[in-house]
């Protein structure tokens, strides 16, 4: 029996932030293998195409020296099916504030209904990332604010390039 503990970190990652990377590091401490899964949330219209989000994550992992430990993939389907294909034991998610709770609770219970063997593990990011989200980063970048502390260098570069190009909006 394979006892390697594989977990999936799913999300939209539009774009990845240092808060996501903080969760990832905590996951690395706990599990043998982590696969980041860029999945679709039908309620969102991402700014970056999935292939570019994947590229940004790969760059960030390289920048932080985590590329040997973490794999990134995109998947269009139910996250429980993806996790099962991979032989994952759990999904990991970040829990930032009480406001995340209801949505996360709903998703965790639905995923458990779909696959009762798959756990969801919640990890809390460093307090300085508690109020971070991809939307707030895009909003600050749109107005030329400094986002350096909150995102990997490649993400900052791409956001600046996007907002300097009037065709983006
Ligand atoms: N640091 C910074 N920001 C964080 C964060 C952290 N540690 N953790 C979450 N966030 C932010 C994200 O940036 C995102 O911000 P945004 O809303 O401004 O874009 C927000 O919190 C939550 O996004 P994310 O973690 O990417 O989750 P999501 O709600 O977009 O993703 C999926 C949900 C993709 C995991 C879910 O829709 C899914 O599993 N889809 C696949 C299909 C499926 O199985 N559906 C049934 C699910 S029950």
């Amino acid at each position: 029996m394979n006892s390697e503990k594989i977990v999936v970190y799913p999300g939209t990652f539009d774009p990845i932030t240092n808060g996501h990377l903080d969760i990832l590091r905590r996951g690395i401490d706990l599990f043998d293998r982590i696969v980041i899964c860029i999945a679709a949330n039908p309620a969102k219209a991402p700014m970056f195409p999935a292939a570019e989000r994947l590229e940004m994550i790969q760059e960030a992992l390289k920048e932080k020296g985590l590329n040997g430990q973490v794999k990134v993939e995109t998947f269009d389907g139910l996250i429980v099916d993806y996790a099962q294909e991979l032989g994952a034991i759990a999904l990991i998610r970040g829990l930032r504030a009480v406001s995340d709770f209801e949505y996360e609770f709903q998703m965790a219970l639905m995923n458990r209904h779909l696959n009762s063997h798959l756990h969801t593990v919640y990890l809390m990011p460093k307090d300085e990332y508690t109020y971070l989200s991809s939307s707030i980063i895009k909003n600050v970048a749109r107005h030329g604010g400094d986002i350096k502390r909150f995102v990997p260098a490649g993400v900052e570069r791409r956001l600046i390039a996007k907002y300097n190009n009037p065709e983006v909006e």
Side-chain angles (χ1 to χ4, degrees), residues 54-103:
L54 184 130
E55 230 175 84
M56 283 189 281
I57 296 175
Q58 280 169 337
E59 284 169 11
L61 294 175
K62 210 165 164 195
E63 181 189 323
K64 309 287 177 189
L66 300 173
N67 48 326
Q69 289 155 281
V70 183
K71 213 171 128 187
V72 196
E73 291 185 335
T74 58
F75 182 74
D76 193 10
L78 282 177
I79 204 68
V80 292
D81 293 339
Y82 176 79
Q84 185 158 2
E85 271 173 36
L86 222 64
I89 57 159
L91 304 176
I92 59 171
R93 296 278 295 166
L95 203 55
R96 294 163 299 167
V98 177
S99 51
D100 279 344
F101 181 78
E102 205 169 317
Y103 172 61

Side-chain angles (χ1 to χ4, degrees), residues 131-148:
Y131 295 101
L132 206 55
S133 72
S134 301
S135 303
I136 208 164
I137 288 294
K138 285 181 281 191
N139 194 357
V140 173
R142 171 180 288 121
H143 299 290
D146 184 7
I147 52 169
K148 209 182 264 6

